[in-house]
Amino acid sequence: MEIMFNYPDATAGPTLREAGIVHGSSAGEQRPGWRSTRQRNAILRVLRDSPDFVSARALHEALTAGGTAIGLTTVYRTLAALERDGHVDVVRDRTGERLYRPRPAEGHRHYLVCRRCGLSRAVESEDVERWADAVAADTGFADVEHTVELTGVCAHCQQKSTIGNDFHIDPSHTWF
């Protein structure tokens, strides 16, 4: 599967909020030290317009295919900054590769991801959040973070399995 985006004017790029990466009306629209560059603006646009989670490599391929000269290291660094500041949600595919999507306005989410095709669905997670808060309170820890990864096989892939058309997972395949 290939992502194709064409952004002819990557220099007039969005702020984090305009790109749909930062929500709300807090004073710090851009994180301190965030420098708006042509490459970062293009990354924000492609990430925002991706229909699902996307790997750094797939993001890089989409950018270069769209004519943006950018290094893979720049893509990784930008995604790391967005993750560190809580602006993207991250899941891992079957091979362990990190996949990214902009965090919705409601905040941190958990996802159920198909192990075969990469389809993802947000799931309700109040029980997990309450559990994490209780563990923090019980242990005296502060600023507790957690990672919950739910994987399964979606209905479409199950149907393909029942008709003898099972998917073969290629470890070099990039999911998004």
Side-chain angles (χ1 to χ4, degrees):
M1 185 173 200
E2 184 176 312
I3 303 176
M4 294 299 293
F5 299 99
N6 186 12
Y7 296 111
D9 189 9
T11 58
T15 64
L16 293 173
R17 180 171 287 109
E18 290 167 343
I21 306 294
V22 172
H23 306 281
S25 58
S26 63
E29 179 170 327
Q30 303 241 24
R31 73 176 187 85
W34 181 268
R35 198 180 61 186
S36 182
T37 66
R38 180 182 57 78
Q39 290 98 345
R40 286 182 176 179
N41 294 335
I43 290 168
L44 293 172
R45 286 185 178 172
V46 174
L47 185 62
R48 179 201 60 215
D49 291 345
S50 296
D52 211 340
F53 283 94
V54 63
S55 70
R57 290 179 188 183
L59 193 59
H60 178 255
E61 288 172 14
L63 288 161
T64 56
T68 301
I70 188 168
L72 183 58
T73 301
T74 300
V75 173
Y76 276 109
R77 285 182 183 155
T78 300
L79 290 171
L82 290 169
E83 179 184 2
R84 180 181 57 245
D85 293 340
H87 300 306
V88 292
D89 284 329
V90 181
V91 298
R92 291 184 186 268
D93 70 9
R94 200 168 194 185
T95 66
E97 184 172 17
R98 300 169 71 78
L99 308 175
Y100 304 85
R101 100 170 355 161
R103 180 162 290 168
E106 307 83 54
H108 172 74
R109 303 285 301 267
H110 293 283
Y111 298 89
L112 176 58
V113 180
C114 179
R115 287 188 300 265
R116 294 189 181 163
C117 71
L119 174 72
S120 66
R121 294 287 183 253
V123 296
E124 291 299 319
S125 59
E126 280 93 29
D127 290 341
V128 171
E129 302 304 328
R130 280 193 298 275
W131 171 77
D133 291 343
V135 168
D138 291 347
T139 60
F141 276 66
D143 196 25
V144 171
E145 298 177 0
H146 64 273
T147 302
V148 175
E149 295 191 15
L150 302 170
T151 63
V153 180
C154 72
H156 180 75
C157 290
Q158 288 176 49
Q159 183 181 22
K160 289 208 175 247
S161 287
T162 61
I163 59 174
N165 201 9
D166 201 8
F167 283 97
H168 167 72
I169 301 298
D170 178 357
S172 68
H173 178 73
T174 303
W175 295 10
F176 36 94

